C-alpha cells in the first residue's frame, strides 16, 4: 500500500533510464504525483507521471515506478534514484494552477 505525498504537479521529464518501460521521452510535460511506500519499503518513494493530457484534461498513458526509490530535490528537480537507475523531473507548478 502507498499514499500520495506530493502533487499533483505540472512537471517535465528531464531524465529517464534507457530501459524504462515507457514511451515517455525527456522533454514530455504533464502531471506528476509522488507516492510513498507504507509497507513493503517504508519511507521509499515512487512516481506516477500522467501524459499526454488532451484538451479535456484526460490521459490514457502513465509512467509508474515502484515505490522503492530515494527522493531528492535540487534546484527544482525531483530525482528518484536507486541502484544507478534515475528518473528526474523538473517541477513547474502545482497542477491546480493550470
Amino acid at each position: 500500500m502507498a499514499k500520495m505525498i506530493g502533487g499533483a504537479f505540472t512537471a517535465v521529464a528531464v531524465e529517464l533510464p534507457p530501459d524504462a518501460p515507457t514511451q515517455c521521452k525527456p522533454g514530455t510535460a504533464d502531471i506528476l504525483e509522488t507516492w510513498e511506500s507504507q509497507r513493503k519499503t517504508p519511507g521509499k518513494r515512487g512516481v506516477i507521471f500522467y501524459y499526454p493530457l488532451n484538451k479535456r484534461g484526460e490521459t490514457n498513458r502513465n509512467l509508474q515506478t515502484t515505490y522503492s526509490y530515494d527522493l531528492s530535490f535540487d534546484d527544482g528537480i525531483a530525482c528518484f534514484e536507486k541502484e544507478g537507475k534515475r528518473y528526474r523531473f523538473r517541477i513547474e507548478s502545482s497542477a491546480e494552477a493550470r
Side-chain angles (χ1 to χ4, degrees), residues 23-44:
Q23 294 176 348
C24 182
K25 303 288 182 217
T28 301
D30 260 310
I31 303 299
L32 177 85
E33 296 174 348
T34 302
W35 290 73
E36 182 175 83
S37 176
Q38 299 295 294
R39 293 189 184 154
K40 190 173 181 181
T41 53
K44 296 292 185 173

Side-chain angles (χ1 to χ4, degrees), residues 22-24 48-53 58-63:
T22 182
Q23 294 176 348
C24 182
I48 302 177
F49 185 61
Y50 299 97
Y51 72 97
L53 291 182
E58 300 167 342
T59 183
N60 63 352
R61 295 184 185 169
N62 69 62
L63 160 65

Side-chain angles (χ1 to χ4, degrees), residues 79-91:
C79 181
F80 298 82
E81 191 167 13
K82 78 170 182 180
E83 300 167 1
K85 190 176 246 188
R86 183 167 46 193
Y87 293 85
R88 294 176 60 219
F89 298 88
R90 184 177 64 248
I91 306 299

Side-chain angles (χ1 to χ4, degrees), residues 54-67:
N54 63 26
K55 291 179 183 177
R56 294 188 309 248
E58 300 167 342
T59 183
N60 63 352
R61 295 184 185 169
N62 69 62
L63 160 65
Q64 182 172 352
T65 68
T66 59
Y67 307 129

Side-chain angles (χ1 to χ4, degrees), residues 65-79:
T65 68
T66 59
Y67 307 129
S68 58
Y69 286 77
D70 292 314
L71 171 62
S72 62
F73 287 98
D74 186 27
D75 202 25
I77 303 287
C79 181

